[in-house]
Amino acid sequence: MSEPSSAFSSARHEGWRVLAATTWVQVLCSGGMLLVPTLAPQVAAAFGVPTGWVGLQVSLLYGVAMLTSLQSAVLARRLGGCRASQLAIALVMVGCALALIGSPLALLATTLMLGLAYGITSPAAAELLTRFTPPERRNLVFSIKQTGVPLGGVLAGLLAPPLAAYWNWQAAFLAVGGASLATLLLLQPRRARWDATRDAEVRMQRAGSLDVLRRDRAMRWLGATGFCLSAAQLSLLSFAVAFMVEELLLTLVMAGAIVSLVHVAGVSGRLAWGALADRLGGSLQVLFGLAGMIATVFLLLALLGTRVPTWLTITLMVVAGATAVGWNGVYLAEVARRCRPGEVGEATAAVLVLTYMGVLVGPALFSLIVWLTGSYAVGFLLPTMTGALAVFCLLNCVRADKASQPV
């Protein structure tokens, strides 16, 4: 084998290693943060709060992630993407350990740790994936990495309820914490190569990565799209179990299994939408279609969720998973395509500030709707509205693109 061919093969293999590592880190972070929503009835009973308040815990977690993402791109450049990923995993491990204490204050500390971890992961992964991925495969590669979010949900949905049923709810946190420790150690041998381009001289800035949004009007509308779609996604993931247990009258284990199916649909959707975007040569068309489908399927859930056979409601929830959980990969690939060379971490962190803001607002508003109406089905009108607003934001993104082009 010639030397250039050998070097190309080595780089390709390293790229797959990076993709596998960043995806697994995303799985653990997502699985850890979804433990409380997945075990909502048991955790709420243990702490003496209504299950509808789970949305407030999710909102706090993403609020911390939002604030962290302001400086997480700088952190990834200073430490390197691998070391930043290790830091995120360490925070997940600490958060899971704190949950074992079993007090409301400990759960608050767990929420803070998991929020910090989640705010670090995506910019760190973007830093690595952009360096090790050819541009023509970026939509699919970013979509594969983003399957870590629904795969984390599958992990939580399949493992957490049985562990809670046979032992206690703390056992699920112990399992995720142990897996995090193993991952942290396994990443260490790759650190020197993956972080070879880190810049220890980079300094934190007051506004963090938000300067990207200030400069680019189209990127601002793209960030607003992320706000709307993330609100729809977390409305589904935060309240699916509570909806099925309290309104469809399913058991906790059955509801957890169905949520895992929803996440599997999200994984399949992310892969399918990424491959479709690469085939079409762009992400915007796919994002338009997804936003419209999200608005439609949640409208059907709101109007028909408790009035049709349970199997049909579950089918609608699976379709919601394929769309509302499946948009992230093509979205982040579009962000990476638009940003300036060397700014992919900053651009990713900037739009994630708005994305996390959507997650912060969405579950909290959903909780308010449930409190006012007493119905989770009515709450699905919220993601219906945000899906429609996402279409509006994408239209304005296209108009901003046209306005910035020279005549």
Side-chain angles (χ1 to χ4, degrees), residues 250-292:
L250 301 178
T251 66
L252 177 62
V253 173
M254 178 62 73
I258 293 171
V259 166
S260 294
L261 187 60
V262 169
H263 285 290
V264 168
V267 172
S268 303
R270 292 185 187 208
L271 296 175
W273 309 136
L276 178 61
D278 279 338
R279 180 175 291 273
L280 295 176
S283 309
L284 278 179
Q285 307 98 303
V286 177
L287 287 172
F288 269 112
L290 286 173

Side-chain angles (χ1 to χ4, degrees), residues 35-36 39-51 53-54 99-105 107 164 167-171 173 252:
L35 286 178
V36 172
L39 298 173
Q42 287 197 3
V43 172
F47 290 96
V49 297
T51 54
W53 285 19
V54 167
L100 301 179
I101 298 173
S103 70
L105 187 60
L107 189 59
W167 286 282
N168 51 45
W169 60 267
Q170 291 95 331
F173 287 90
L252 177 62

Side-chain angles (χ1 to χ4, degrees), residues 361-381:
V361 172
L365 286 179
F366 200 109
S367 291
L368 178 62
I369 293 172
V370 171
W371 180 68
L372 291 174
T373 66
S375 171
Y376 290 95
V378 173
F380 287 129
L381 288 174

Side-chain angles (χ1 to χ4, degrees), residues 1 21 40-41 48 65 72 142-143 146 174 213 235 240 279 285 295 328 336 340 355 362 373:
M1 184 181 293
S72 57
F142 272 78
S143 293
Q146 284 301 116
L174 185 61
L213 300 181
S235 293
R279 180 175 291 273
Q285 307 98 303
N328 311 66
R340 296 178 182 179
T355 299
T373 66

Side-chain angles (χ1 to χ4, degrees), residues 223-247:
T225 302
F227 173 92
C228 295
L229 296 181
S230 62
Q233 177 179 336
L234 265 292
S235 293
L236 174 66
L237 298 183
S238 299
F239 296 96
V241 170
F243 168 64
M244 287 186 284
V245 170
E246 297 190 8
E247 295 193 10

Side-chain angles (χ1 to χ4, degrees), residues 292-302 315-317 319-321 323-324 384:
M293 291 173 66
I294 287 168
T296 302
V297 72
F298 279 110
L299 179 61
L300 292 174
L301 275 172
T315 301
L316 288 173
M317 294 183 71
V319 175
T323 53
T384 299

